[in-house]
Amino acid sequence: MPPNTTASTGQQPGKSGRRKGRKARLIVLVLVLALIGGVAYGSYWSISTVRASFPQTKGTLTLKGLSGPVEVKRDNYGIPQIYASSDADLFMAQGYVQAQDRFYEMDVRRHMASGRLSEMFGKSQVDNDEFLRTLGWDRVAQQEYDTKLSATTKKYLQAYAEGVNSYLQGKDGKDISLEYAALGFTNDYKPQAWTPVDSISWLKAMAWDLRGNMQDEIDRALLTSRLGPKQIADLYPQYPYSRNKAIVQEGQYNELAGAFEQGGTSGASGTSGANGTGGTSTGTASGGSGTAGTASGTAGTASGASGTEGLDSQLGGLTHVLDDLPPAVGVNGDGIGSNSWVVGGEHTITGKPLLANDPHLSPSLPSVWYQMGLHCRSVSSACQYDVSGYTFAGMPGVIIGHNQNIAWGMTNSGVDVTDLYLEKITGNGYLYDGKVKPFKTREETIKVAGGTSKKIVVRQTEDGMPLLSDRDEELVKVGRKATVDTAAPDRGDGYGVALRWTALQPGTTMDAVFAMDKAKNWGDFRKAASQFEVPSQNLIYADNENHIGYTLPGKIPIRAKKDNGSIPAPGWDSGYRWRGYIPQDALPYEYDPERGYIVTANQAVIDPDTYPYTLTADWGYGARSQRITDLIQSKIKDGGKISTDDMRQMQLDNSSEIARLLVPTLLKIDPENQDVRDAQKLLEGWDYTQDADSAAAAYFNAVWRNILKLAFGSKLPKELRPKGQCLWVEPVNTTGPADEAEKVRECGQRDPDQAQPDGGDRWFEVVRTLMDKPDSDWWTTPEVGTRPAAHNRDQLFKRAMIDARWELTAKLGKDIDTWSWGRLHRLFLKNQTLGTAGPGFIQYALNRGPWELGGGEATVNATGWNAAGGYGVVWVPSMRMVVNLDDLDKSKWINLTGASGHAYSAHYVDQTDKWADGELLPWAFSDQAVEKSTADKLVLKP
């Protein structure tokens, strides 16, 4: 949202009474302070302003357009369950109720998705709006609505919008949300009516945050400015298929050689285990070179214009733009994970499946998720839904949850659906196969609150790729320094950068949501999932007939043989364009595997030796998925059974796999300093669990952070390192120590939450691989002050132990008995607009925290932190759920915050303490259970 500004201290200005402007601001200050504290004569204003936006949850309201009465039953946490007699009434009521609780959040989301943030927050958002208008999410959403979605889906979207607009009717901003009251002090913004396209646009924003390996593609290109191909390959090791199992192990797919959804030549050759349970294949992947899960060893080589040194300026500029964009549901596409797994009835206490899910996204206030139930009083052709779960405020239906027959969960698949292309710009066109093609152009007008509107021209290629380099001055330098081969066109004034992304084409994901919500069995679910085009997700499944399954949906490109999508490609060569999409029937799935469980946690979907298509070059490395698998196996060995609470306990597992690897070596090191020895003793007998009160976890994670900083941080280019970190670094193409006179001073340029090395499971794998190479140049670091130089692994580890000791002394005090991981690893929940950029007193009113958390990076309890930037929590299990298919009323769930987006509502953060403690709430589903749990009942009448 709006960039950070200096927060007001709330102190009275020295001579503010002499000038009207300052006097006005002082009045505002007094009023807002009264709003916060509800004190003195300002208490009436504060109470009326705060309470004006609270929803009515009891009694009766008239909702024009309903065909019959609708009941809204809320439990003690304000979670609504809606009962209606027609689909249209159900979704109209959903729109009304979500607007009651979350309209400000919905309004901000649609302005972000449509590139209209400046209309709410002024000129600070113009650059973001320019970039978002260039992507054109709302334009694609409009095309989806006009040309792709079914008539029934459109009917539901229209009903939802009518419900939202019924809530807005006759209300001023202050009647809707406290944030609008605050905005009213600086501009006269007024909320506009909701449209069906506003709901669809949010899917594009979600897809952007889950877009796959675009950041890795940028980073590999940036690394070439300092590192060679071998060194880059060290930092992108091959996926460890033998150690961390892929999702699909006994699965199926249909071999459709030569069958592309958009024509082209065959992307697969050979035969496969078509329609069988083995899913093996002797074919080779001609749809993309290299093996999924590896960097293919090509990063940094000159293939066309791909991945060559000199992209640092251009792509550094792009990274700057991406860092500034507000995240929709995640940390701007980097570091996002999730866990989901399902255990079949043969391994559970109930004899029916149990399904768990906890998506890992950036923390936000309110939570990105909204819990609710949508119930037809009698399921029939007129009213088809009886579903409960998590959705997004602003979108009808349920995204993750269960109905009366099935349950499903999601994790991000990580498949590669984005590619960057270098474009040779010539006049008003671009070079393509030796000919100049004209850009398609459109003019966009950006309206600015309190300022002058700005017009921009968006250029895109014939096949719809927007030219991102038009949106940042640094990006126009793309070809000025890029190394290309002799066949590349003359660089002239430079190359542009264009984006190919599956979400920039209209799709049918909204149809899929409604179809999944009413699916009755595996066949229905697979059919519905095939429409879930963007973003591609791992979908797990269970039903009350004791079946479990997994399917990978999505529009996934087939690339040319010479391009695996891991680095930017030359746009002037048609040989690098996509060849179509993998047919849905050819995507991997698994149904009732013999092992009796399925785990998805962003690991590789399938071993490339058994599958003829390349899905990505950048999987997660499987640390979480294998830990979950190990926990399940330990429970079911010798006939053991798993309970609902066992599933919950697995979600809370804090075990650190990298600690398990490194601590034995760290304990063998003999530091001379007694204070360092005292810290080292914390690791003796430690069980590698990262509880919030653990001093050992605090010290180990500090050591891990310093290992990464010493071994890799100073050797990465400035574009990847955190802002504010200025180092004297080694010359280009070296990892070993250099003479002091040869070093250069460079300061990091990336936001700390996005910087490298981030300490995730890729870095686990990097260090794991290097542990057997104790004399590698990566283990070298120079002497700094009193800190000794290191020439091998153990010397660097000793240096990291020293640095960690003094870092924690500064942060936590000299007495190690007072140390704890939670004191370092804290979660702050911030309102994503005024809570990050408003005056200090507004931030105080809207934000909450901190919470001291356990868990960590690449653990099952994935409270992620970025080792390059610090220890603070940057992404979290955004919700947790466990579905019991034997008795749905015994299912459990929790949200990160609460149902309400109103800052002083009782339901603003009423679930957070329990979330932090690892608790789950009862999840009522049946009519009887919902009625028993009902605290407030509202009847909406026609």
Side-chain angles (χ1 to χ4, degrees):
M1 288 307 151
N4 290 329
T5 57
T6 303
S8 168
T9 62
Q11 296 177 347
Q12 181 175 332
K15 299 181 179 180
S16 59
R18 297 182 183 178
R19 297 174 62 182
K20 289 184 178 179
R22 292 187 179 180
K23 184 176 181 180
R25 287 195 293 271
L26 178 58
I27 292 172
V28 169
L29 172 59
V30 171
L31 290 174
V32 174
L33 287 175
L35 166 67
I36 295 169
V39 296
Y41 63 86
S43 60
Y44 172 78
W45 187 91
S46 68
I47 293 171
S48 64
T49 301
V50 169
R51 290 183 176 173
S53 59
F54 284 9
Q56 179 179 339
T57 59
K58 296 181 179 180
T60 303
L61 284 173
T62 298
L63 192 57
K64 185 178 179 180
L66 289 177
S67 63
V70 175
E71 291 178 303
V72 182
K73 301 178 180 182
R74 294 177 182 261
D75 66 11
N76 286 322
Y77 288 87
I79 299 170
Q81 305 279 345
I82 300 175
Y83 289 82
S85 297
S86 75
D87 291 340
D89 284 357
L90 193 64
F91 295 118
M92 186 177 182
Q94 184 182 17
Y96 186 89
V97 170
Q98 286 193 341
Q100 280 187 306
D101 285 336
R102 301 276 194 97
F103 182 77
Y104 176 78
E105 174 194 4
M106 293 163 58
D107 200 16
V108 171
R109 284 179 173 179
R110 66 166 166 178
H111 278 78
M112 181 186 71
S114 59
R116 295 167 48 220
L117 289 167
S118 301
E119 295 177 17
M120 295 185 75
F121 305 109
K123 63 182 180 180
S124 67
Q125 294 303 295
V126 169
D127 288 346
N128 282 338
D129 283 348
E130 288 185 24
F131 190 83
L132 293 165
R133 293 286 184 94
T134 300
L135 290 173
W137 294 341
D138 59 331
R139 298 173 65 86
V140 181
Q142 185 68 59
Q143 293 173 26
E144 286 188 5
Y145 185 79
D146 292 341
T147 66
K148 286 286 188 177
L149 298 180
S150 70
T152 300
T153 293
K154 291 181 182 181
K155 176 185 174 183
Y156 296 162
L157 289 165
Q158 290 162 357
Y160 180 91
E162 289 173 14
V164 175
N165 293 330
S166 293
Y167 168 76
L168 295 178
Q169 190 172 7
K171 290 183 174 65
D172 293 328
K174 64 180 176 58
D175 300 322
I176 299 172
S177 176
L178 173 62
E179 289 93 332
Y180 288 122
L183 278 178
F185 294 134
T186 59
N187 70 58
D188 58 355
Y189 172 79
K190 291 180 174 56
Q192 298 173 338
W194 192 264
T195 73
V197 174
D198 291 333
S199 295
I200 303 169
S201 296
W202 178 242
L203 283 171
K204 301 302 175 185
M206 180 179 72
W208 176 254
D209 281 357
L210 305 175
R211 62 192 177 269
N213 78 335
M214 182 173 166
Q215 193 65 59
D216 286 311
E217 190 173 339
I218 293 169
D219 287 357
R220 269 191 288 262
L222 291 171
L223 286 169
T224 61
S225 67
R226 291 193 55 79
L227 303 175
K230 173 60 172 65
Q231 295 162 330
I232 295 173
D234 285 346
L235 303 186
Y236 287 87
Q238 294 189 6
Y239 184 91
Y241 288 96
S242 61
R243 186 176 70 252
N244 296 342
K245 300 299 183 183
I247 297 170
V248 175
Q249 301 171 40
E250 307 168 35
Q252 306 166 336
Y253 63 91
N254 296 322
E255 174 70 13
L256 297 176
F260 283 48
E261 291 187 2
Q262 288 192 354
T265 57
S266 175
S269 60
T271 61
S272 77
N275 301 311
T277 57
T280 60
S281 171
T282 57
T284 59
S286 59
S289 61
T291 336
T294 75
S296 304
T298 60
T301 64
S303 173
S306 305
T308 52
E309 64 180 80
L311 281 174
D312 54 328
S313 178
Q314 176 87 7
L315 294 174
L318 176 57
T319 298
H320 175 72
V321 173
L322 298 180
D323 283 348
D324 284 346
L325 283 180
V329 296
V331 192
N332 284 325
D334 191 31
I336 294 177
S338 293
N339 303 321
S340 68
W341 66 95
V342 60
V343 180
E346 66 269 34
H347 296 311
T348 69
I349 289 175
T350 67
K352 291 288 181 70
L354 296 170
L355 185 149
N357 197 186
D358 55 288
H360 306 154
L361 305 170
S362 62
S364 60
L365 183 59
S367 167
V368 69
W369 296 110
Y370 185 92
Q371 297 155 286
M372 73 187 319
L374 301 171
H375 307 279
C376 291
R377 293 189 177 96
S378 177
V379 177
S380 66
S381 59
C383 197
Q384 305 173 72
Y385 294 90
D386 188 14
V387 61
S388 183
Y390 297 84
T391 187
F392 301 124
M395 250 181 67
V398 167
I399 306 299
I400 296 174
H402 70 80
N403 60 29
Q404 67 271 44
N405 298 304
I406 74 166
W408 67 97
M410 296 184 187
T411 63
N412 195 30
S413 70
V415 298
D416 188 0
V417 295
T418 59
D419 277 337
L420 295 174
Y421 285 88
L422 305 179
E423 301 290 350
K424 168 59 180 175
I425 299 174
T426 303
N428 293 322
Y430 61 99
L431 192 66
Y432 189 74
D433 282 351
K435 297 179 180 179
V436 176
K437 291 197 170 188
F439 282 109
K440 295 179 179 179
T441 62
R442 68 176 188 270
E443 187 176 82
E444 298 272 355
T445 300
I446 298 172
K447 297 179 182 179
V448 183
T452 304
S453 297
K454 181 176 182 179
K455 293 184 182 296
I456 64 170
V457 175
V458 176
R459 296 190 289 178
Q460 62 185 44
T461 63
E462 186 177 65
D463 48 0
M465 296 194 299
L467 201 64
L468 300 187
S469 50
D470 282 350
R471 300 282 75 90
D472 189 281
E473 290 184 3
E474 284 188 289
L475 297 183
V476 301
K477 303 174 183 177
V478 60
R480 293 179 184 172
K481 298 170 68 176
T483 302
V484 295
D485 65 15
T486 56
D490 179 75
R491 71 178 72 243
D493 291 332
Y495 303 129
V497 173
L499 172 68
R500 184 80 186 268
W501 178 33
T502 54
L504 297 182
Q505 301 172 16
T508 57
T509 300
M510 200 71 240
D511 284 340
V513 171
F514 294 116
M516 286 193 297
D517 284 356
K518 63 181 180 181
K520 297 179 179 179
N521 51 46
W522 174 245
D524 287 350
F525 184 75
R526 280 266 291 167
K527 184 177 179 180
S530 69
Q531 298 176 289
F532 204 101
E533 294 184 340
V534 175
S536 176
Q537 298 286 286
N538 295 312
L539 298 180
I540 60 166
Y541 166 94
D543 63 37
N544 54 17
E545 296 296 323
N546 221 351
H547 300 292
I548 64 174
Y550 161 86
T551 189
L552 173 70
K555 184 176 282 187
I556 304 171
I558 299 174
R559 293 173 174 83
K561 184 175 181 179
K562 55 187 173 182
D563 178 28
N564 75 341
S566 63
I567 47 182
W572 50 82
D573 184 348
S574 63
Y576 285 87
R577 285 300 199 262
W578 292 355
R579 297 297 191 256
Y581 300 96
I582 301 174
Q584 290 296 308
D585 285 344
L587 291 172
Y589 69 95
E590 199 164 64
Y591 184 61
D592 286 342
E594 185 177 347
R595 64 186 181 278
Y597 60 87
I598 302 170
V599 176
T600 85
N602 314 113
Q603 79 270 40
V605 168
I606 192 167
D607 191 317
D609 291 337
T610 68
Y611 189 66
Y613 298 99
T614 298
L615 297 173
T616 186
D618 295 292
W619 299 115
Y621 281 79
R624 282 180 289 110
S625 62
Q626 194 57 43
R627 175 62 179 173
I628 295 167
T629 297
D630 292 344
L631 290 170
I632 293 172
Q633 290 178 339
S634 69
K635 284 286 185 180
I636 65 176
K637 68 180 180 180
D638 301 324
K641 303 292 184 180
I642 292 175
S643 68
T644 300
D645 196 61
D646 289 334
M647 300 284 274
R648 180 188 70 87
Q649 292 287 354
M650 291 178 195
Q651 289 178 324
L652 304 177
D653 183 76
N654 286 330
S655 176
S656 171
E657 294 306 298
I658 194 63
R660 195 177 303 276
L661 173 70
L662 296 186
V663 165
T665 301
L666 294 175
L667 289 175
K668 293 177 182 177
I669 291 171
D670 183 19
E672 291 82 6
N673 184 279
Q674 185 60 48
D675 288 325
V676 179
R677 286 180 182 171
D678 290 342
Q680 182 188 38
K681 289 179 181 178
L682 292 172
L683 305 179
E684 295 177 0
W686 180 42
D687 63 359
Y688 313 122
T689 60
Q690 301 172 97
D691 295 333
D693 61 358
S694 171
Y699 182 59
F700 173 77
N701 282 316
V703 173
W704 170 238
R705 179 176 186 240
N706 280 278
I707 286 173
L708 294 171
K709 183 177 179 180
L710 293 169
F712 310 104
S714 63
K715 295 154 190 169
L716 301 180
K718 59 184 180 295
E719 291 84 4
L720 273 67
R721 298 202 316 273
K723 293 176 182 176
Q725 184 189 82
C726 297
L727 302 171
W728 290 95
V729 300
E730 310 292 351
V732 172
N733 291 328
T734 66
T735 56
D739 293 337
E740 290 299 320
E742 296 177 357
K743 294 184 180 180
V744 294
R745 179 174 168 81
E746 290 183 349
C747 296
Q749 297 180 353
R750 188 165 287 184
D751 285 349
D753 290 353
Q754 302 289 304
Q756 295 293 338
D758 62 17
D761 68 351
R762 174 166 67 88
W763 292 100
F764 284 20
E765 199 62 28
V766 169
V767 171
R768 184 190 298 275
T769 302
L770 290 172
M771 285 294 287
D772 294 332
K773 303 173 183 178
D775 295 320
S776 168
D777 284 344
W778 289 111
W779 298 127
T780 62
T781 193
E783 176 183 352
V784 175
T786 60
R787 306 289 202 274
H791 304 287
N792 57 44
R793 182 197 65 196
D794 289 355
Q795 289 177 359
L796 185 136
F797 281 14
K798 178 188 287 189
R799 166 75 178 273
M801 294 169 70
I802 295 170
D803 288 359
R805 174 50 161 123
W806 303 125
E807 180 186 2
L808 295 196
T809 297
K811 292 181 182 296
L812 303 179
K814 186 175 181 179
D815 184 359
I816 62 176
D817 291 336
T818 68
W819 289 3
S820 71
W821 176 224
R823 287 180 62 195
L824 290 174
H825 192 53
R826 301 191 299 168
L827 169 67
F828 290 86
L829 292 175
K830 296 184 178 182
N831 176 288
Q832 292 302 292
T833 56
L834 302 179
T836 60
F841 44 80
I842 292 293
Q843 293 189 34
Y844 177 84
L846 297 177
N847 297 341
R848 299 291 183 271
W851 284 267
E852 297 183 355
L853 301 183
E857 188 77 17
T859 63
V860 180
N861 185 20
T863 54
W865 55 287
N866 186 301
Y871 301 98
V873 177
V874 297
W875 48 281
V876 295
S878 55
M879 62 83 159
R880 298 186 184 101
M881 74 176 196
V882 179
V883 182
N884 183 330
L885 273 298
D886 178 61
D887 185 345
L888 293 169
D889 288 331
K890 292 182 179 178
S891 301
K892 304 285 186 179
W893 63 352
I894 196 79
N895 205 351
L896 172 63
T897 60
S900 179
H902 300 288
Y904 287 94
S905 164
H907 305 306
Y908 191 48
V909 289
D910 58 338
Q911 297 185 51
T912 308
D913 284 346
K914 291 182 179 298
W915 173 92
D917 291 339
E919 297 181 37
L920 297 176
L921 301 177
W923 183 356
F925 179 72
S926 70
D927 294 350
Q928 297 86 351
V930 170
E931 183 64 31
K932 185 177 180 181
S933 68
T934 296
D936 293 344
K937 183 184 296 185
L938 175 68
V939 178
L940 302 174
K941 291 187 174 181

